[in-house]
Amino acid sequence: MKRRMIGFQYALMIIVAIIMFFPILWIISSSFKPLIEFSSYPPRLFAKTFTLKNYQEVLTNSKLPIYLRNTLILMLGNTVGTLLSSSLVAYPLARMDFRGKKLIFALILATMMVPSYVTIVPQYILFRYLGWLDSFLPIIVPAFFAYPYNVFLFRQFYRTIPRELDEAAKIDGCNEWQIFWKIIVPISKPIFITIGVLSSIYWWNEFFVPMVFINSEELKPLSVGIYSFSRTTFIVRWDLIMAMATIMIIPPMILFLLAREYITAGIKTTGLK
Amino acid sequence: MGKRKNVIAYLFVSPWIIGFILFTGGPILAVILLSFCKWDLIAPPRWVGLENYIKMFRSESEFWMVLKFTLFYTLLSVIVSVGWALFTALLLNQKVKGVRVFSFFYFVPAVVPMIALTFAFQLIFNKELGVVNYLLTLIRIRNTPNWLMDPNYVTWLVAVLNIYTFYTGQMMLIFDSALKEVPKELYEAAEIDGAGPLTRFFRITLPTISPILLFNLVTATINSLSASFTLIYPLTGGGPGKVTQAISLDIYYNAFKTFRLGYASAEAVILFCISAVVSLLMFILSKKWVYYEV
């Protein structure tokens, strides 16, 4: 009886794992198929004639290297910006008493709930006025002004640091900036890593914002580049699309494997006290 | 002294304040004003009062379809993603070996770019060549559906595919840690009393994690309102016809394809109102999960 139960549990867990991983597996295995095999029936998971040509082609003969470079710029710019600004903004919210603190924190939480489609039109107009359209600036600059979600995560972490540390530093004559920079930042390494990783994955994947602000092929990140590539070829080049898609999905998977503990810890705390 | 402290605190917070004025608060005010205007970015904006809203809510307006699909999609994807997240979290809490390996497979779609997955979905759900329909023919189902082109199926499909989004993975982890905090003694006591797994789930697990369930339901609503573009636009482009034209896609088309900025702004205002109601709900319900302590 007990044994059958465990067998059933395993079967269920394996089925769910297959459902969840199947699209990823399909992308990776398809990337080794020649184009002709995409129209063969019945569909096969693995290529009949295994080829590496798709990779060779997208790496040498497409805009993929440019898209990759652009994605890296957006990812790094956003991550650096958000780490600098959000860590700073969260500090007084977690560790100082000042007038209007409650209001500011409430506003930060409230803006977390506003979908980006609500503000996109005025932002577009603002960046057009500044002459920033079709550049990385509309996508990177806002990161330097603290994203609410990351402020929230930093604040949650800072609150767990004992207050006695600040008191001791104050007695030694440190000002708030020195406390932040010399005490809080060095012991907050885990949260910097968590947000750094989460932000990197987020901006590696982001599609909507660059879709709105970037038009030139030379500036498109992978997400938008692969989309426009799929739209511009005369026949859909599934072979090349799948090779590009594989190149696109591998880095976040590796990053997830490396920083798994940080990612799961970071996400879990957002939902709980 | 107290004043000085306030000044220092505001210096720390100033990046967010500037960002709020430029990128969120200011734009929200601007979008409300713009919704009363007509503007194509070439001629100067012209004040037209309620015209955009009247046009939007006329009985023959396409907006009803957009709104209907958005609400349908949101409702269904909330049920699907929260249900799936709870289901997978429950599986990960079983006392079996290899849970860590399974959790990798359950969570990894959440970190993979949705745009890449949409290409896989296009192949997998293809009418003639897709593997899903092939499997259906194996169990002798004829007239296999044209998933992405049939209005009856595609609206359901896009909502169900929410199980692959970041947000579902995130909810799974939150459920997972909530489940780990359910007191073990309760289960043991119930088992002695002869309660089966279903009774234990409905009598012990569900009541204990209900605050988290509530939290996930509300965040799932906000998430599907704010992430629908990334899933639907590359997958169906709002089609066939306009049956999967969520409000996010419609704002995008109207603002950046046909340059009807006033009309797009009016739609954004409606979306803002919907998410404000959801957030308000979250705020009221938040007293149940102690989330807003300052």
Side-chain angles (χ1 to χ4, degrees):
Chain A
M1 181 61 201
K2 191 94 191 176
R3 244 201 167 150
R4 254 177 66 192
M5 188 71 193
I6 289 178
F8 176 71
Q9 280 176 344
Y10 266 116
L12 206 59
M13 291 179 84
I14 291 168
I15 291 169
V16 171
I18 292 173
I19 293 173
M20 293 313 278
F21 201 69
F22 190 71
I24 294 169
L25 190 62
W26 198 266
I27 293 171
I28 297 172
S29 65
S30 302
S31 68
F32 301 111
K33 290 177 185 170
L35 182 60
I36 189 131
E37 277 193 44
F38 284 87
S39 46
S40 67
Y41 190 84
R44 301 165 57 101
L45 180 55
F46 295 104
K48 215 186 280 175
T49 26
F50 180 93
T51 176
L52 286 170
K53 258 209 163 124
N54 304 336
Y55 287 96
Q56 203 188 355
E57 172 104 24
V58 293
L59 285 170
T60 55
N61 218 353
S62 79
K63 293 228 164 67
L64 184 90
I66 298 167
Y67 298 154
L68 258 170
R69 181 203 65 190
N70 298 338
T71 294
L72 280 172
I73 295 173
L74 290 184
M75 189 182 94
L76 288 175
N78 264 285
T79 303
V80 169
T82 202
L83 287 178
L84 286 176
S85 58
S86 305
S87 63
L88 205 65
V89 171
Y91 174 74
L93 292 171
R95 308 187 70 80
M96 288 174 76
D97 292 309
F98 61 96
R99 279 187 68 172
K101 177 170 146 180
K102 277 195 173 176
L103 176 72
I104 287 184
F105 188 59
L107 270 176
I108 288 179
L109 287 178
T111 49
M112 258 163 70
M113 324 279 178
V114 180
S116 44
Y117 321 115
V118 172
T119 50
I120 196 78
V121 172
Q123 279 189 19
Y124 183 87
I125 294 162
L126 171 73
F127 293 130
R128 183 174 177 264
Y129 176 76
L130 293 171
W132 287 4
L133 290 184
D134 208 19
S135 81
F136 296 140
L137 291 173
I139 309 168
I140 293 177
V141 170
F144 285 83
F145 295 92
Y147 290 128
Y149 180 70
N150 296 332
V151 172
F152 179 72
L153 283 183
F154 267 115
R155 171 188 170 274
Q156 297 301 88
F157 188 89
Y158 289 163
R159 279 162 61 88
T160 62
I161 301 169
R163 283 248 183 180
E164 288 79 44
L165 278 176
D166 309 23
E167 307 297 332
K170 241 175 239 172
I171 292 164
D172 289 347
C174 283
N175 61 33
E176 292 287 351
W177 170 255
Q178 287 165 326
I179 295 173
F180 170 72
W181 190 241
K182 293 204 172 126
I183 295 171
I184 303 296
V185 170
I187 51 178
S188 300
K189 217 168 116 192
I191 191 69
F192 276 88
I193 297 176
T194 302
I195 294 175
V197 171
L198 282 173
S199 158
S200 302
I201 292 178
Y202 182 89
W203 286 99
W204 181 274
N205 297 351
E206 174 62 17
F207 177 63
F208 177 65
V209 172
M211 184 83 185
V212 170
F213 291 120
I214 286 177
N215 288 317
S216 358
E217 282 298 319
E218 268 52 47
L219 294 175
K220 280 176 182 169
L222 259 175
S223 55
V224 181
I226 193 175
Y227 176 75
S228 59
F229 175 77
S230 75
R231 295 280 140 157
T232 46
T233 48
F234 181 62
I235 34 164
V236 185
R237 290 299 303 266
W238 286 113
D239 52 342
L240 304 184
I241 291 173
M242 289 296 140
M244 282 187 186
T246 305
I247 292 171
M248 189 178 184
I249 62 180
I250 297 297
M253 277 170 69
I254 292 174
L255 203 54
F256 171 66
L257 268 178
L258 291 177
R260 186 172 174 168
E261 302 306 322
Y262 289 105
I263 294 176
T264 48
I267 290 171
K268 275 176 184 171
T269 50
T270 55
L272 307 161
K273 285 151 268 188
Chain B
M1 191 62 201
K3 251 199 185 134
R4 222 182 93 87
K5 206 172 174 187
N6 281 342
V7 172
I8 292 168
Y10 276 95
L11 280 176
F12 273 97
V13 182
S14 59
W16 176 77
I17 295 178
I18 298 167
F20 175 75
I21 294 168
L22 287 177
F23 306 123
T24 326
I28 289 173
L29 288 179
V31 88
I32 295 171
L33 282 177
L34 263 172
S35 74
F36 299 113
C37 295
K38 214 175 183 146
W39 196 18
D40 57 4
L41 277 178
I42 300 164
R46 189 161 55 84
W47 189 267
V48 292
L50 285 170
E51 201 186 292
N52 290 322
Y53 291 95
I54 292 167
K55 220 193 293 171
M56 223 158 70
F57 288 112
R58 261 192 333 221
S59 57
E60 73 275 16
S61 162
E62 262 176 14
F63 184 72
W64 289 112
M65 232 176 89
V66 171
L67 195 63
K68 210 179 105 193
F69 172 70
T70 305
L71 296 178
F72 169 85
Y73 166 83
T74 305
L75 186 71
L76 189 61
S77 66
V78 167
I79 294 169
V80 167
S81 60
V82 174
W84 185 260
L86 180 57
F87 173 63
T88 45
L90 280 169
L91 283 181
L92 293 180
N93 271 275
Q94 304 298 315
K95 279 169 272 165
V96 291
K97 275 184 193 153
V99 163
R100 249 184 88 83
V101 179
F102 284 111
S103 78
F104 169 79
F105 286 109
Y106 292 7
F107 190 75
V108 83
V111 298
V112 160
M114 185 42 88
I115 177 85
L117 291 183
T118 60
F119 290 119
F121 297 145
Q122 283 173 35
L123 288 176
I124 291 168
F125 290 100
N126 185 289
K127 180 171 169 36
E128 275 90 29
L129 304 168
V131 66
V132 169
N133 279 355
Y134 172 67
L135 293 175
L136 288 178
T137 57
L138 287 185
I139 53 168
R140 308 210 175 270
I141 291 176
R142 270 170 234 180
N143 294 326
T144 47
N146 193 352
W147 296 99
L148 291 165
M149 284 301 166
D150 188 325
N152 293 316
Y153 292 104
V154 70
T155 48
W156 292 81
L157 185 64
V158 287
V160 168
L161 292 179
N162 264 284
I163 63 170
Y164 295 99
T165 53
F166 175 73
Y167 301 103
T168 311
Q170 178 176 345
M171 289 191 284
M172 180 187 79
L173 293 180
I174 292 170
F175 272 133
D176 183 52
S177 57
L179 287 173
K180 292 209 160 60
E181 279 171 29
V182 182
K184 295 278 172 298
E185 308 84 61
L186 287 178
Y187 288 122
E188 282 155 18
E191 217 158 334
I192 292 164
D193 291 345
L198 275 180
T199 325
R200 270 177 284 162
F201 175 72
F202 283 108
R203 289 288 169 80
I204 301 170
T205 315
L206 213 52
T208 323
I209 63 162
S210 62
I212 296 300
L213 179 65
L214 214 57
F215 171 82
N216 273 345
L217 280 172
V218 181
T219 39
T221 313
I222 295 162
N223 290 338
S224 38
L225 283 173
S226 54
S228 47
F229 185 90
T230 314
L231 170 63
I232 302 174
Y233 186 77
L235 189 59
T236 70
K242 283 197 167 181
V243 293
T244 56
Q245 185 88 338
I247 196 163
S248 55
L249 276 75
D250 218 44
I251 291 172
Y252 178 78
Y253 276 117
N254 284 320
F256 307 116
K257 297 271 170 189
T258 52
F259 295 101
R260 299 194 296 166
L261 270 67
Y263 186 81
S265 300
E267 288 185 301
V269 171
I270 300 295
L271 179 62
F272 179 69
C273 293
I274 296 172
S275 45
V277 169
V278 178
S279 310
L280 205 66
L281 196 71
M282 180 145 184
F283 185 75
I284 294 164
L285 295 174
S286 72
K287 293 187 174 71
K288 292 208 165 191
W289 61 71
V290 213
Y291 178 72
Y292 283 93
E293 13 75 84
V294 175

